[in-house]
Amino acid sequence: MADTAGVNVKAFGAKGDGIADDTQAIQKALNSISQTGGTIVIPDGVYNANITVTTSNVYITGTGTLNGSINLYGTPTSNTDRFAGTGNVKIDGITIQGGNTRNGINCRWYYGVLITSVRFINCLKAIYFEKVNKTQHCSRYTITGNQLVDCNYGLYVDYAQPDDGGTHVVGDVNFSNNMYESRTNVPGAFSNVCHIWAKGIDGLVCKGNTFFFGHTGFEKTNVYIEDFNWVIIEGNHLFEAAESAVMAVDGFNLVIANNNIAWAKKYGIYLSGVVGVIVGGNNLTWKSGEDIPSTGICIENSPYFIGNISNNNLFFPGVYAIQIKDSSFINITGNNARSQYGKNQPLFIQTPSTCASISVTSNQFTNYPGSSLSEDYYSVNPVSTNYISGNAQGFPAVPVKGVLSEEYAAFTNNAVAVDISGLTLAVFAYSKSTVVTQLTKENLSKSLPRTVVIYSYTNNLKISRQIPNVKLKGSGSYVSFPADSSMTLLVYGSQIMEISRNFSV
């Protein structure tokens, strides 16, 4: 910058009293540095002005409030080398008040822009990449450490099909460590639709942000991206989306990692028509005690997904933890999902005929209904190319009445047919004498190997030795359980075998 001390806009007649139109005064200040570049200072005050920057090497700073918009309108170039265009702009410190009618910063044909420590209030779109039908008319933006309050959109990338042979209209945007909030029942609060809405972006890093919705009735999605390439959504706090915390449609090379996602009403993460994806290490949470009909991670229309859903924690999704439809080449591994009421499913492969090579390994699905660790994971039979191994269903969702938590299952009635399908622990807590003549309803030939511990609180439990495909140690017609006793069974190879007990044969 040529003038490090800065040009104060008041030296060119700006009033900053919130009454006068200061547009011409600030524009004169900008014109004064148009040939050399320099710093424009907007001091304390309220400036009614819409200003346009058209040159390179401009720094706008100060502590004042701008009632208006800043237009970054560079010179169009004939190629996509953005370093050949208009660039090197920094905006920091000021407040931009949109008055519910204006955008904050409008952009076209600029590269190398830093926007930091700016407060955007009541803007239609805080930062708006305008609709330009050229490849990467804007690129290399760093938007960090800003506060956005009651804005309809934070970052908005508009789209028109490029007519120069390219695909994406904006490239390489880093939107990081911003605080975005929409207030509820606050005078002047503005509706909030999406925190990020971007179509046609090549290179987006969305990292370390905190996004709140404010219940104005217009909320949709925290982060919506479409027709994209090379996107990282990492380490964000994404709260209370009415549709989906992250929605990604028609794109390539996507990482969604280590985000905290809370209370999304429809989907935590929704992906459609995507290729080359990592969804890993996210915490997806719904409210305890509320039955929200939501799905944790949904993948649709992605026949070449070629990616992983791994090491995610999903607490209380109301419908499915993971849902797959018309999508293939997916590794689902190391996830931990817990149902709230035990009435939904951990994994739903909705269209097995159009899904191929889905590997499901080493997941922990807790408090879900169902019997076995194979086909009962699904509402429909899985595809033949699906691989299932090393998963665990934890404790199924049959409550122990007045004895243990709902994460255990008990023989709490006097029926002689007891079903330990899918169980790893079964607790007998019934006060009447029971002789069990059936242990399981599962198809043992399709069951994965597992151990089941039967624990009896009372001395009223007996199991018949005549049950087909069940081998119990000792002799006699049945095994009698003393009070406070247990037996360990192995489900393996189309049969159930006793391994050990803590009472005498």
Side-chain angles (χ1 to χ4, degrees):
M1 302 297 181
D3 187 349
T4 57
V7 175
N8 193 311
V9 296
K10 287 195 171 182
F12 287 81
K15 302 297 183 183
D17 58 6
I19 300 173
D21 186 345
D22 289 322
T23 298
Q24 290 187 3
I26 298 178
Q27 206 65 54
K28 288 179 181 178
L30 285 165
N31 292 341
S32 74
I33 64 168
S34 62
Q35 299 301 313
T36 60
T39 300
I40 297 296
V41 179
I42 302 177
D44 283 346
V46 178
Y47 301 82
N48 296 327
N50 291 298
I51 61 177
T52 299
V53 183
T54 61
T55 58
S56 298
N57 306 318
V58 176
Y59 177 19
I60 299 174
T61 187
T63 55
T65 296
L66 186 71
N67 277 345
S69 301
I70 297 177
N71 302 313
L72 300 182
Y73 290 165
T75 302
T77 60
S78 59
N79 57 61
T80 58
D81 180 5
R82 297 306 307 131
F83 289 108
T86 314
N88 192 21
V89 168
K90 179 180 179 182
I91 302 171
D92 78 6
I94 64 173
T95 295
I96 300 178
Q97 170 63 254
N100 296 1
T101 60
R102 299 179 300 271
N103 299 326
I105 300 175
N106 299 305
C107 308
R108 64 179 186 234
W109 296 110
Y110 255 93
Y111 76 90
V113 174
L114 172 61
I115 301 169
T116 182
S117 301
V118 175
R119 195 164 187 248
F120 297 89
I121 302 175
N122 295 115
C123 294
L124 291 174
K125 302 174 180 72
I127 299 159
Y128 177 49
F129 291 96
E130 295 188 358
K131 185 180 289 187
V132 178
N133 60 340
K134 302 296 179 184
T135 302
Q136 294 202 19
H137 68 89
C138 286
S139 67
R140 298 169 180 86
Y141 277 62
T142 298
I143 303 163
T144 183
N146 302 285
Q147 184 180 17
L148 301 95
V149 180
D150 295 334
C151 298
N152 255 0
Y153 298 88
L155 174 67
Y156 194 104
V157 178
D158 216 336
Y159 179 80
Q161 178 66 46
D163 62 9
D164 55 7
T167 303
H168 301 97
V169 294
V170 170
D172 299 329
V173 175
N174 189 325
F175 191 90
S176 299
N177 301 314
N178 300 286
M179 172 65 73
Y180 195 143
E181 53 192 318
S182 181
R183 297 168 293 178
T184 304
N185 300 323
V186 174
F190 196 31
S191 59
N192 182 201
V193 182
C194 292
H195 299 113
I196 292 178
W197 194 100
K199 181 175 180 179
I201 191 165
D202 184 6
L204 170 66
V205 175
C206 173
K207 189 172 183 178
N209 303 286
T210 300
F211 294 159
F212 287 99
F213 277 119
H215 309 292
T216 58
F218 295 90
E219 298 84 4
K220 289 186 177 180
T221 300
N222 297 114
V223 180
Y224 176 90
I225 54 173
E226 182 179 348
D227 192 12
F228 61 89
N229 192 24
W230 299 113
V231 171
I232 297 174
I233 301 170
E234 182 179 5
N236 303 283
H237 305 284
L238 309 176
F239 297 113
E240 299 186 276
E243 291 185 0
S244 178
V246 177
M247 183 171 287
V249 179
D250 297 335
F252 297 83
N253 305 310
L254 172 64
V255 175
I256 304 172
N258 303 320
N259 300 283
N260 291 318
I261 296 173
W263 318 311
K265 297 298 188 295
K266 192 172 181 180
Y267 300 103
I269 296 171
Y270 174 89
L271 309 176
S272 177
V274 294
V275 178
V277 182
I278 296 173
V279 180
N282 301 285
N283 288 318
L284 297 95
T285 303
W286 287 262
K287 294 180 180 178
S288 177
E290 291 187 16
D291 189 14
I292 299 174
S294 54
T295 291
I297 300 169
C298 178
I299 301 171
E300 293 186 343
N301 307 315
S302 302
Y304 295 99
F305 183 86
I306 312 177
N308 299 295
I309 303 174
S310 59
N311 302 313
N312 300 284
N313 297 318
L314 302 100
F315 298 97
F316 307 143
V319 184
Y320 310 113
I322 300 170
Q323 179 182 3
I324 309 295
K325 181 180 179 182
D326 301 329
S327 302
S328 299
F329 307 108
I330 307 171
N331 291 323
I332 302 171
T333 183
N335 300 285
N336 192 333
R338 187 187 189 279
S339 165
Q340 182 166 207
Y341 297 106
K343 63 184 182 182
N344 43 16
Q345 291 175 257
L347 176 60
F348 179 33
I349 295 182
Q350 190 170 350
T351 52
S353 62
T354 56
C355 298
S357 287
I358 299 176
S359 176
V360 185
T361 59
S362 302
N363 300 283
Q364 176 71 37
F365 297 135
T366 300
N367 207 35
Y368 283 94
S371 57
S372 75
L373 292 175
S374 55
E375 293 184 1
D376 286 334
Y377 269 126
Y378 314 96
S379 285
V380 293
N381 292 335
V383 293
S384 60
T385 53
N386 190 71
Y387 307 96
I388 304 175
S389 67
N391 302 284
Q393 276 188 284
F395 301 119
V398 182
V400 176
K401 301 175 182 178
V403 180
L404 296 176
S405 76
E406 64 177 8
E407 292 186 339
Y408 293 81
F411 306 159
T412 54
N413 57 32
N414 201 26
V416 296
V418 173
D419 188 6
I420 62 168
S421 302
L423 299 187
T424 57
L425 174 64
V427 179
F428 180 82
Y430 195 61
S431 59
K432 295 182 180 180
S433 179
T434 301
V435 178
V436 175
T437 59
Q438 177 182 316
L439 267 180
T440 185
K441 297 178 181 179
E442 64 193 296
N443 184 341
L444 292 176
S445 65
K446 295 184 178 181
S447 297
L448 293 176
R450 74 176 190 278
T451 59
V452 183
V453 176
I454 297 178
Y455 182 85
S456 178
Y457 272 101
T458 74
N459 60 357
N460 299 314
L461 172 64
K462 296 180 181 180
I463 299 179
S464 171
R465 285 195 172 92
Q466 309 305 314
I467 304 174
N469 300 319
V470 175
K471 298 183 180 300
L472 303 179
K473 296 178 180 180
S475 59
S477 299
Y478 50 78
V479 176
S480 298
F481 283 68
D484 195 24
S485 62
S486 65
M487 174 186 291
T488 301
L489 303 175
L490 174 64
V491 180
Y492 178 74
S494 300
Q495 61 183 341
I496 299 174
M497 299 180 292
E498 179 184 348
I499 299 175
S500 64
R501 64 176 79 174
N502 68 349
F503 57 96
S504 61
V505 177

